[in-house]
Amino acid sequence: MALILLTDDDGYQSPGLVALYEAMTNLGDVAVFAPDHNWSAAGHTKTMHKPLRAWDGKLPNGAKATITTGAPSDCVAMALLGLLPERPDLVVSGINLGANLGSDLTYSGTVAGAMEAVIGGVTAFSISIETTDSEADFSLAATVAGRLGDLILRMGMPPNTFLNVNVPNLPRQEVRGIQITRLGRRIYRDVLVRRIDPKGRPYYWIGGDVPTGIPEDGTDIGALANGYISVTPIRMDMTDYRFIESLRDWPLSEVLES
Ligand code: MN
């Protein structure tokens, strides 16, 4: 019987986590380690300067969960470092409310949950739906998660690699298929909003419109824009191998010259 560990950066009360839980129970035993609040855009957090708390709780569907004060990456770390008595066979992070595309991966708490798993040597995938509406229909994304989880358990994955999955917010009959993709280019429209607090001092919000992106064929952004489910294999090795050769032509020794 496989053991599957779930987390979700939207917190333990997220309907996306409940939908994921219900899909994964078909595959084996399911353990949940989830944050006590929303950590969206928390990135790959490692909490080091304050204590972490964890307690037994329940998801909104009544399923047992370990709830923690940590980020989703902390949740996975705590589970793998011994709070979960057995080593899981698979970690799934999601179903996140909102797509995680292109450079979003560096901001995403959802993706960080999968990253922490592969750092710990456990196969993983992250999964997101292209809407932030908590009333959304998660049934297609949940089905995809369950079947993909089954495939991963059967096929295995290379070490230090995970899958990042994005599901369009469309009825099943309007989804055109599933594409293997590379990361696309997000266009962020952030603005710095300056306001004044009651003591007359400025404070700031990073605001602005939701990001768009370049819907190039073959990318995650292109796949969603065309009504496909996107599956992107992601390596933890972020080395730019193509640039290594031209970097060798730089007079790098100059940085050491006195
Ligand atoms: Mn989120």
Side-chain angles (χ1 to χ4, degrees), residues 8-11 38-41 95-98 100 108-110:
D8 191 312
D9 86 341
D10 297 328
N38 193 320
W39 282 82
S40 294
I95 299 166
N96 186 62
L97 281 164
N100 277 303
S108 171
T110 301

Side-chain angles (χ1 to χ4, degrees), residues 45 77 80 194 218 246 252:
T45 300
L80 298 188
R194 185 180 190 268
S246 39
L252 264 185

Side-chain angles (χ1 to χ4, degrees), residues 88-92 114 117-118 120-125 152-153 156-159 161-162:
D89 302 289
L90 175 66
V91 172
V92 189
V118 295
V122 179
T123 300
F125 70 95
I152 290 172
L153 289 170
M157 293 253 298
T161 292
F162 63 95

